[in-house]
Amino acid sequence: MIDEFKTIKGKSEGTYTELRSKFLAFAYPVSTVDEVKAIVDEYRKKYYDARHVCWAYMLGHERLTFRSNDDGEPSGTAGKPILGQINSRELTNILVIVVRYFGGVKLGTSGLIQAYKSATIEALEAAEIVERQVEQQIDIRFDYLQMNAVMRIVKEEQPAVISQQFDNSCTMTLAIRISLAPHLLKRLSKVEGLNVL
């Protein structure tokens, strides 16, 4: 079971110049396709005078949601090399945008691939790569009388407490590394009158 993944901590940038064409690369941590679209739209507006705004993203801890876009460059010469660099570092929840200002000299297919790859490398090498855990959220409800039993399990298993409400009927939302969730659920299920929501 995959229960951790690598991503970047914050925005990073890189630049690469080849035969007077300038490539500006930007890497962002993202978690949804909507976030990706919003950032790409923002860059298209900001760099409206650039010839191409190419990009690639990878989402999800299993790294199954991805896409790349050549934005008018010859097929496979921009988005694919960007995505290739994301893959070679095994990153996810990341978007890389490379903006190209044409310098008047055509680079050819191999030149374009190398330029987009190099610009992406610059941005990723400037990024702080972090490991994150994949967590499962668990919602529970129990009687106030079971408080001590529940809190003992929470103290011993150490899930993060996202929210809690204590009354005659108590509720808690816990988050724990996905590989540890079955053990926590097993222990909680032994508490009389506790319901997992």
Side-chain angles (χ1 to χ4, degrees):
M1 181 184 290
I2 302 167
D3 70 351
E4 59 184 27
F5 59 90
K6 288 193 292 186
T7 189
I8 60 173
K9 190 170 185 176
K11 178 188 172 190
S12 64
E13 299 179 16
T15 56
Y16 180 77
T17 306
E18 180 69 39
L19 297 173
R20 296 199 310 270
S21 271
K22 197 166 187 186
F23 297 83
L24 311 174
F26 306 90
Y28 277 90
V30 290
S31 51
T32 66
V33 173
D34 287 340
E35 249 183 294
V36 168
K37 286 179 180 164
I39 295 168
V40 169
D41 286 347
E42 179 188 322
Y43 272 77
R44 284 195 200 287
K45 285 181 191 131
K46 186 174 180 181
Y47 293 96
Y48 65 91
D49 57 339
R51 180 69 69 91
H52 305 281
V53 178
C54 306
W55 49 267
Y57 69 79
M58 177 75 66
L59 295 174
H61 67 277
E62 292 171 320
R63 303 179 71 246
L64 298 174
T65 305
F66 56 89
R67 191 159 164 227
S68 63
N69 186 305
D70 295 316
D71 191 39
E73 290 283 31
S75 181
T77 60
K80 258 191 181 154
I82 297 169
L83 188 60
Q85 290 310 302
I86 292 170
N87 274 327
S88 71
R89 287 169 172 74
E90 298 178 341
L91 297 171
T92 191
N93 288 8
I94 183 171
L95 163 67
V96 177
I97 298 172
V98 180
V99 176
R100 179 189 182 190
Y101 281 97
F102 184 57
V105 181
K106 292 194 171 183
L107 303 182
T109 303
S110 60
L112 283 172
I113 291 169
Q114 189 56 48
Y116 280 100
K117 176 181 172 182
S118 298
T120 303
I121 289 169
E122 292 295 318
L124 294 179
E125 287 187 349
E128 183 182 344
I129 294 174
V130 291
E131 291 210 350
R132 301 262 191 247
Q133 293 180 358
V134 182
E135 293 186 327
Q136 180 175 335
Q137 215 163 280
I138 300 169
D139 296 308
I140 56 174
R141 180 183 289 133
F142 54 92
D143 292 334
Y144 189 79
L145 295 171
Q146 308 310 119
M147 176 75 75
N148 287 344
V150 171
M151 293 315 278
R152 181 169 44 251
I153 294 169
V154 168
K155 187 178 176 193
E156 290 168 5
E157 300 299 326
Q158 297 185 322
V161 178
I162 307 297
S163 67
Q164 56 190 19
Q165 186 179 344
F166 302 131
D167 209 340
N168 289 338
S169 179
C170 306
T171 58
M172 288 181 89
T173 299
L174 308 171
I176 192 163
R177 193 171 179 152
I178 206 163
S179 58
L180 303 175
H183 181 70
L184 174 62
L185 284 164
K186 187 177 177 184
R187 287 197 63 191
L188 288 170
S189 70
K190 292 179 179 168
V191 176
E192 194 178 316
L194 180 142
N195 294 311
V196 176
L197 306 173

